[in-house]
Amino acid sequence: MSANSEKAIFEIDDSCSGCHRCFTYCKSSGAIKGSTGTKHSINESKCVNCGQCLLQCPQGSVIYNHMIAEIKAALIDPSKEIVAVVDPAVSIAIGEEFGLEPGVNSLGKICAALRIIGFNLVFDGSFGADMLIMAESANIASALKKKLGINGFETASELPVLSSSCPAWLKFAAKRYPKILPYLSQVKSPPQIMGTLVKSFLAKQSAKDMASIYVVSISPCTAARYECERQSHTINENREVDAVLTTRDLAYLIKEAGIDFSKLAEESCDEILGQGSGAGMIFGACGGQTEGLLRSIYEHLSENTLENKEFLPARGSGAGRSISIDIPVKSNGGKLLKFQAGIIT
């Protein structure tokens, strides 16, 4: 793996035979250049950093320029407090790298491993997912009240609200379909929310310079690196998230440190303002974000606690599907609102 963070996130090296498989799987038109039998290249301006080329290349010719060297340098810097934020999907996926049964939640072992490697604090990223659901559901509920003509919501967002935490999809949408930009949610992704929260809270709590708090997001998504490096994602001129480790990167670090992951005793995450909820935990599942939003939107509009919190049709795979629920809107005399959510995966 190459490790120069100043380069493009993805590159194709000279071992490329021109099999054209990466081109076939790439959904961002023009991102892969080259014809069959010739070395291919990546057009960085059109690449959305989704990682499909990396996943599909049969020869290992696609190089992901990781941030491991940067993170190692921070780990030995005595002026830095190194903080990890672990995405719930990583907790489920990483066990297979170490012979554990697929689907086993390894968050406790990840906490232990990261502390051995040298991280000072380890937070569960599902708390950031909860923060997103709270903000996004309030935004959508206000937009619905505006549509119903309820007073006090005249400046709310327009419908439909397009919500996604995937930086690759957001970049793709902005480049290919600019007309939908006014409808894209402005709520940040869970890693960026956590980065902002961690840096603000720790700096205030310990009277430290925010620049000394180094946040590493551990994510299943290669596009998370693109997201963390965006100039718009800063707080007091510091990155909200300083660096990203993918699931593979974390496995590499654990193995390099000689840690027997399968035999590690589980440890608890540090808590910043409390624990994540069940909605935060299912966030990484296909349709989990939608299900969490539906629960919260229902409670915002009905002003009642939802007894059955499962919207199972929201979960699962498939290119596109929708789910419809009836919500009694208290501020509209309890009249039922048929709310429909579409899910694109």
Side-chain angles (χ1 to χ4, degrees):
M1 291 190 290
S2 175
N4 187 342
S5 65
E6 295 180 355
K7 291 184 177 181
I9 294 176
F10 290 102
E11 297 177 280
I12 299 178
D13 69 19
D14 290 338
S15 66
C16 172
S17 66
C19 72
H20 219 47
R21 186 177 175 90
C22 59
F23 181 93
T24 302
Y25 279 88
C26 180
K27 302 301 182 184
S28 183
S29 178
I32 303 286
K33 298 187 295 182
S35 55
T36 303
T38 65
K39 180 182 177 297
H40 286 35
S41 62
I42 295 174
N43 183 336
E44 188 180 358
S45 67
K46 294 185 178 181
C47 175
V48 298
N49 308 301
C50 67
Q52 280 299 308
C53 55
L54 177 71
L55 184 66
Q56 299 296 336
C57 179
Q59 298 169 302
S61 302
V62 179
I63 307 300
Y64 169 64
N65 287 308
H66 58 74
M67 305 182 83
I68 291 175
E70 275 183 49
I71 294 166
K72 282 184 175 180
L75 284 166
I76 60 174
D77 184 343
S79 70
K80 300 285 188 185
E81 183 167 23
I82 315 301
V83 181
V85 177
V86 184
D87 187 286
V90 174
S91 304
I92 303 299
I94 197 168
E96 293 182 64
E97 283 277 350
F98 299 96
L100 301 181
E101 287 293 320
V104 171
N105 190 329
S106 301
L107 181 58
K109 293 183 183 294
I110 291 173
C111 290
L114 288 170
R115 292 184 180 121
I116 292 171
I117 290 169
F119 284 79
N120 302 109
L121 294 166
V122 183
F123 293 116
D124 180 358
S126 63
F127 188 84
D130 277 333
M131 296 297 100
L132 179 144
I133 287 170
M134 289 171 63
E136 189 73 286
S137 60
N139 177 41
I140 295 172
S142 295
L144 289 167
K145 289 179 179 180
K146 176 182 179 178
K147 187 72 173 178
L148 291 170
I150 298 171
N151 291 333
F153 296 92
E154 291 79 10
T155 61
S157 299
E158 296 291 339
L159 293 172
V161 176
L162 303 179
S163 176
S164 176
S165 294
C166 174
W169 184 86
L170 291 171
K171 185 178 179 183
F172 178 80
K175 285 184 172 292
R176 296 290 299 277
Y177 303 100
K179 288 184 179 180
I180 71 171
L181 289 178
Y183 302 101
L184 289 181
S185 167
Q186 298 303 303
V187 179
K188 293 178 181 178
S189 68
Q192 301 302 136
I193 291 172
M194 283 296 290
T196 302
L197 185 62
V198 165
K199 290 199 173 190
S200 301
F201 183 79
L202 293 181
K204 184 176 181 180
Q205 185 185 56
S206 59
K208 288 185 175 180
D209 181 356
M210 200 173 285
S212 70
I213 301 166
Y214 191 88
V215 176
V216 179
S217 173
I218 303 178
S219 169
C221 175
T222 54
R225 179 182 158 183
Y226 153 76
E227 181 180 44
C228 88
E229 292 180 328
R230 291 185 62 187
Q231 291 186 350
S232 58
H233 290 329
T234 58
I235 175 171
N236 296 342
E237 299 184 355
N238 297 289
R239 282 185 187 173
E240 295 165 346
V241 172
D242 295 282
V244 169
L245 286 173
T246 64
T247 310
R248 287 181 178 181
D249 295 338
L250 176 59
Y252 172 83
L253 281 179
I254 292 170
K255 292 172 183 177
E256 185 187 50
I259 297 169
D260 190 341
F261 188 80
S262 63
K263 294 182 180 178
L264 278 177
E266 294 192 358
E267 296 182 7
S268 299
C269 289
D270 297 283
E271 291 185 14
I272 186 165
L273 294 173
Q275 295 181 335
S277 72
M281 285 302 299
I282 66 169
F283 194 90
C286 188
Q289 178 175 345
T290 301
E291 183 167 352
L293 285 170
L294 287 172
R295 296 176 184 178
S296 193
I297 291 167
Y298 185 97
E299 295 191 352
H300 270 293
L301 294 175
S302 69
E303 299 181 31
N304 281 320
T305 300
L306 184 63
E307 292 184 6
N308 179 14
K309 295 185 180 295
E310 289 194 333
F311 292 97
L312 294 179
R315 300 190 216 173
S317 59
R321 57 196 184 282
S322 64
I323 178 171
S324 180
I325 60 171
D326 292 328
I327 306 175
V329 183
K330 186 172 181 179
S331 56
N332 196 35
K335 294 180 181 178
L336 286 180
L337 168 71
K338 185 173 286 294
F339 178 71
Q340 188 161 356
I343 306 164
I344 302 173
T345 56

